[in-house]
Amino acid sequence: MSTGPESGPSAETLAAAFATTPSPMLVADARAHDHPIVWANAAFLSQTGYALDEVTGRNCRMLQGAATDPAEVARMREAVSAGRAISAEILNYRKDGTTFWNALTITPVSDDQGLAYFFASQTDTTRIHVEAEQVSGLIADLAQKTALIHEIDHRAKNNLQVISSLMLLKARRTQDGEARDALEGMVERIGALSIAHRLLYTEEDGSHFALTDFVGELLSDLDAGMADDRIRIDTEVEAIRLPASMAAPLALMFHELVANALRHAFPHGRPGRVSITARRTEIGMAVEICDDGVGFDATVPEVSGFGRSLVEMVAKQLRGTVRWLPQASGTRVDIAIPLRAK
C-alpha cells in the first residue's frame, strides 16, 4: 500500500486559526506604499478598539502617540526598511486615546517574487509595566524609610552621647559612694545603647543588624573601658540577622552580664575567662554567658540587685527567659529568646 505525500493544514485552516487566536495579529503589504494593513484578526481589533474597515489601508503608526518612544520607532522603521525581523516594546494608543504597552514581533514574509508581507503579532504587557512601576515605587519608599531610620538612629546616638556626657559630668562632681557608682553605671549603660544605634546607622538595611558585628562592637567598647590582661573573653556567635527592635535590649543585656563578670567574678587579681555563645535554635536564639570566677557567693549583691533585675526585665521585653546557674567554678547565665511569633 502506498501513501501520498504528507501535507500540513490547508491555507483555509491556517487563516481560520490566525483569525480566531486570542493573540492580536495583523498583516501589512510590503510592496505597497507605506506598508498598509491588509488583514487584522479579531483580537487585534478588540485590543485597539478599531473596526476592520478603520485599520485596513492604514499604516501601523496609527497606534503611536505623543508618549511613544521615538528611538524605538526609528529602530523598528530601520528593520522594516531592511526587510528583517524585529521585536520591540512600545507604548501604543487605542482608538479612545487610552494607552497600552505593546510587545510586538514583526516578521517579513516572502514569496517567489521576494518580500511580500510583514506579519506582526502583539502582546499587551501593560500589567507588567504597572507592576514594575509599583515595585519601583515600593523600592523608592523603602529607600526613603531606610534613610529616615538611619537619621533617627544617628540622632538617637548623638542624643545619648549628650546625656552620657551630662551624667558623667555629674558623676565626677559627686563624692565617692553609692550615688557616684550608680551614675557611672548608668553612663556605661547609655554607652551600650549608643553603640547599638551607631551600628544600626552603619547597616545598609536599617531594619536588621548582624549579631556577630553587634557583639564585637559591644565587647570592643567594654575592653577599652575595663581592659585587664588577666581576663580572657571568648566568643562563639553565629551569624544571625536580627530585627532592629532587638538592638537596644540586647545591648543592655550583653553589657550588664559581661560587665558584671568582669567587675565581680575575678577579685584580688584573680585570672579567668568569660565566654559568650549565641546560636540559633528551632524557636529562636540561645545565649549563654559563663565565667570561671568566684561564683554567686562573692557577687550576691550585684547578681540579686539592679543588674539582675535589669537583665530579667529586658529578657521579658524580648519574650525570653533567663536562668542563673551557679557552677562549681563561676557562674553561668542561660537566655532563650524566641525570634518568631508563637
Side-chain angles (χ1 to χ4, degrees), residues 309-326:
S309 298
L310 178 59
V311 170
E312 291 179 345
M313 180 187 71
V314 169
K316 185 176 181 180
Q317 178 184 343
L318 294 172
R319 298 178 291 113
T321 58
V322 183
R323 292 194 303 158
W324 307 81
L325 304 170

Side-chain angles (χ1 to χ4, degrees), residues 78 145 282 317:
E78 181 184 358
K145 290 177 181 178
E282 289 185 0
Q317 178 184 343

Side-chain angles (χ1 to χ4, degrees), residues 33-155:
H33 172 69
D34 207 26
H35 304 148
I37 297 172
V38 295
W39 175 87
N41 68 356
F44 175 85
L45 301 176
S46 175
Q47 182 187 55
T48 62
Y50 288 97
L52 182 60
D53 61 349
E54 292 177 309
V55 299
T56 302
R58 301 179 65 183
N59 187 279
C60 293
R61 76 173 66 90
M62 63 181 286
L63 300 178
Q64 298 169 17
T68 305
D69 184 358
E72 195 70 353
V73 171
R75 192 172 71 88
M76 293 165 54
R77 185 183 300 117
E78 181 184 358
V80 169
S81 298
R84 67 172 187 272
I86 185 173
S87 294
E89 188 171 21
I90 61 174
L91 187 69
N92 277 166
Y93 289 74
R94 300 182 181 89
K95 180 180 178 180
D96 62 7
T98 59
T99 59
F100 67 98
W101 281 99
N102 188 7
L104 57 92
T105 299
I106 301 174
T107 305
V109 179
S110 299
D111 58 17
D112 54 2
Q113 298 178 22
L115 180 61
Y117 300 101
F118 287 106
F119 172 76
S121 62
Q122 303 182 170
T123 302
D124 187 339
T125 58
T126 304
R127 180 177 177 181
I128 295 174
H129 280 264
V130 170
E131 291 176 350
E133 289 178 1
Q134 290 174 342
V135 170
S136 179
L138 289 173
I139 291 173
D141 288 344
L142 180 59
Q144 186 175 15
K145 290 177 181 178
T146 299
L148 178 60
I149 290 171
H150 282 166
E151 179 62 22
I152 291 171
D153 285 320
H154 181 61
R155 293 189 181 186

